[in-house]
Amino acid sequence: MASEGADHDTTDGTGEPPREAPRPADAPLAGPEPAAAVAAAEAAGPAGGESVRIDSWIWAVRLIKTRSQGAAACKGGHVRVNGERVKPAYSVRVGDEVRLRHEGRERVVVVRRLIRKRVGAPVAVQCFIDNSPPPPPRETVAPAGIRDRGAGRPTKRDRRELERLRGLGGPGGPGTQGAPGGYPGNPGGRGDRPGGR
């Protein structure tokens, strides 16, 4: 019985299963879906000898939503290639490290494949190696002024409380006694009229 178990033993003598060799970063993934993604990325690539602009590339690999945002990010100094600020027309090459600061987050990617047409997300991830730091955690803030369903319209008192919570009220602000009109002593208020209260 021991010889039968030895035929099916998957350990390397240490009692642990053998580890697979790490896959190189530029090696294509196995399977039909990634192969189709690579084929789609190659179809979206430039024709022989043509270069790809950096604003076009960061848009094509879905790091930003529009190409005009890519050009604006380059002009604003938010895009760096190999540590240097670049203009929108800079020609990107395979192996370049691209740093993009967009929407409060820094993305650090290494170019694996040049494409100039926008592709889907599964294809886009085949075109770069993502070395970005993890995104900052979202702040969990309780929403101010949420009323229970079916509670009806807020009363004046409820409305003032909501304004105070949202930072709209306060001394001299709207909804307080410091507001113009309606109080004695204020110009245009009922207290200035003859016979007013």
Side-chain angles (χ1 to χ4, degrees):
M1 295 302 277
S3 61
E4 289 179 16
D7 292 340
H8 301 291
D9 190 17
T10 58
T11 61
D12 57 359
T14 61
E16 296 179 5
R19 294 182 181 175
E20 295 181 14
R23 186 178 57 84
D26 59 344
L29 299 173
E33 186 175 319
V38 170
E42 288 175 357
E50 291 183 6
S51 60
V52 178
R53 293 168 50 116
I54 184 66
D55 61 343
S56 177
W57 187 81
I58 60 177
W59 165 74
V61 297
R62 308 180 75 85
L63 294 178
I64 54 168
K65 291 183 180 178
T66 65
R67 185 169 170 184
S68 60
Q69 281 182 347
C74 292
K75 290 175 184 174
H78 301 294
V79 178
R80 294 177 178 265
V81 177
N82 299 326
E84 296 182 19
R85 290 182 179 180
V86 294
K87 294 183 178 180
Y90 179 86
S91 295
V92 69
R93 295 186 297 268
V94 174
D96 285 347
E97 181 190 64
V98 178
R99 289 180 176 264
L100 168 68
R101 188 127 186 96
H102 183 62
E103 294 180 349
R105 183 177 175 202
E106 184 174 25
R107 300 293 305 267
V108 181
V109 298
V110 177
V111 180
R112 282 178 65 181
R113 186 167 280 115
L114 296 177
I115 60 172
R116 63 176 5 152
K117 296 178 184 174
R118 191 166 172 94
V119 293
V123 179
V125 297
Q126 298 291 322
C127 298
F128 60 86
I129 302 167
D130 196 355
N131 296 331
S132 304
R138 291 186 177 183
E139 295 179 10
T140 55
V141 178
I146 301 296
R147 292 177 55 82
D148 292 332
R149 187 179 177 119
R153 293 184 63 180
T155 62
K156 261 190 180 179
R157 182 178 179 182
D158 293 339
R159 181 181 51 78
R160 288 184 186 130
E161 285 294 315
L162 290 172
E163 287 177 354
R164 187 184 61 77
L165 286 172
R166 292 178 181 153
L168 300 176
T176 62
Q177 290 189 1
Y183 296 100
N186 288 336
R190 293 179 67 186
D192 291 343
R193 295 184 193 153
R197 295 187 217 171

